[in-house]
């Protein structure tokens, strides 16, 4: 049988970060606003050429 090597594990301390609810809500609303603005831009671009099929 093979001889097993000793392996040492060093655990790093994990710092718990507090989740800021207002910050997370602000990020969520920013993502939604990006989707709305992107949809408006795409709709406006499609309205420029209504006769062409995509």
């Amino acid at each position: 049988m093979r001889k097993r090597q000793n392996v040492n594990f060093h655990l790093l301390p994990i710092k718990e970060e507090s989740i800021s609810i207002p910050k997370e809500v602000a990020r969520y609303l920013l993502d939604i606003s990006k989707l709305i603005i992107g949809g408006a831009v795409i709709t406006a671009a499609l309205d420029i050429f209504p006769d062409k099929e995509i």
Side-chain angles (χ1 to χ4, degrees):
M1 285 175 76
R2 291 178 136 180
K3 184 177 179 181
R4 294 180 77 186
Q5 294 179 352
N6 290 337
V7 178
N8 294 329
F9 289 101
H10 299 284
L11 298 176
L12 298 175
I14 298 174
K15 295 180 182 177
E16 291 192 25
E17 296 179 10
S18 61
I19 297 174
S20 174
I21 300 293
K23 190 174 183 179
E24 292 298 321
V25 170
R27 285 183 184 171
Y28 179 74
L29 293 175
L30 180 64
D31 289 341
I32 290 178
S33 67
K34 288 178 187 177
L35 290 172
I36 292 172
I37 292 172
V41 168
I42 291 173
T43 303
L46 292 176
D47 285 343
I48 293 174
F49 305 107
D51 296 334
K52 293 186 178 182
E53 293 188 22
I54 298 176

